[in-house]
Amino acid sequence: MRPGSMLCALTLLAWSGSAIAQPYAQPPDRGQRGYRAYDEQDPPRPAPSDCWCEERSWARRSLSPFRVHIGAAGRVVTEEITPGMMTAIDIGRGPAGFRATALWARVGSDDGLAQYTGELTLDFGRQSAWRPVLGAGGGFARTYRVDDQGNRTSGGASLGLGVVRAALEYRLPIEGTDSRAGVNVMGVLPAVRGEGAPDVKGWVVVGATLGVGF
């Protein structure tokens, strides 16, 4: 055999042996991190959802359905401020609710006022500790009496009222208690005047209260 032919035959034989010795590629290890074979018995994963219903219901459950507030208030008429005391009862976790409010400003004096109102309220706080509240309703007040010439006289008189209120409350960080500090501004407009009631145009009540839920 010629030397060239022998060289070609040896080269071909060596290449064939190398190809036979090459191992097959191994599949990825099933135990390696990041790889997991599909198992038909695995429960399907729930589709992602942006629903905040559970979180919202939890936040609402943490609010008390019954809250009592007490604090100081002032009745503002033109440039005069009459100091007094305010109490209120809130019913409902929100966003809709009801509030009953009582205000006593310098009761027993010549310009004293006892005011009792009820409101339908909307609480816009949702899940925040800061809770803006709007309310509207009506009520009545007892105040001084005047004669036919408008002069003050003995006894008292009644007024039917329409009211609107804006408030900002803050939920105090006291665990397990729906306690709040709030500031209120209430606009009051006499709508019905009883016998002997003074001809007043209206007034504003400004108050600061602390409340606790039950």
Side-chain angles (χ1 to χ4, degrees):
M1 182 179 294
R2 295 181 181 180
S5 300
M6 292 180 62
L7 181 60
C8 291
L10 290 174
T11 302
L12 181 60
L13 183 60
W15 180 85
S16 301
S18 175
I20 294 172
Q22 179 69 30
Y24 290 101
Q26 296 295 326
D29 186 0
R30 296 171 64 91
Q32 290 181 354
R33 182 179 300 178
Y35 175 84
R36 188 174 185 273
Y38 176 76
D39 189 346
E40 294 182 355
Q41 296 181 355
D42 288 348
R45 295 183 179 181
S49 173
D50 57 354
C51 178
W52 50 282
C53 303
E54 293 184 1
E55 187 176 0
R56 177 178 60 180
S57 63
W58 177 90
R60 189 170 296 176
R61 286 197 303 270
S62 70
L63 304 179
S64 173
F66 184 82
R67 298 177 297 278
V68 177
H69 305 260
I70 187 168
R75 178 196 182 198
V76 183
V77 181
T78 58
E79 298 180 355
E80 182 182 2
I81 300 178
T82 305
M85 183 181 74
M86 171 188 290
T87 63
I89 297 174
D90 282 332
I91 301 174
R93 289 188 171 97
F98 176 80
R99 166 174 279 216
T101 305
L103 167 71
W104 298 276
R106 203 181 292 174
V107 176
S109 65
D110 292 340
D111 57 349
L113 174 74
Q115 175 180 304
Y116 308 94
T117 57
E119 312 163 27
L120 297 178
T121 61
L122 286 176
D123 183 344
F124 297 94
R126 299 182 68 177
Q127 301 173 56
S128 173
W130 294 97
R131 313 195 69 81
V133 180
L134 294 179
F140 75 97
R142 290 288 295 175
T143 187
Y144 60 88
R145 188 181 184 91
V146 298
D147 57 21
D148 294 339
Q149 286 73 39
N151 301 315
R152 296 188 185 186
T153 184
S154 60
S158 298
L159 293 168
L161 310 174
V163 298
V164 292
R165 182 177 65 94
L168 180 61
E169 297 179 348
Y170 176 72
R171 288 194 64 197
L172 300 175
I174 301 176
E175 185 176 358
T177 303
D178 184 5
S179 53
R180 308 184 184 189
V183 291
N184 304 264
V185 178
M186 178 186 295
V188 183
L189 181 65
V192 179
R193 290 179 170 82
E195 182 181 357
D199 185 15
V200 292
K201 302 302 182 182
W203 59 87
V204 174
V205 174
V206 180
T209 59
L210 289 175
V212 61
F214 297 93

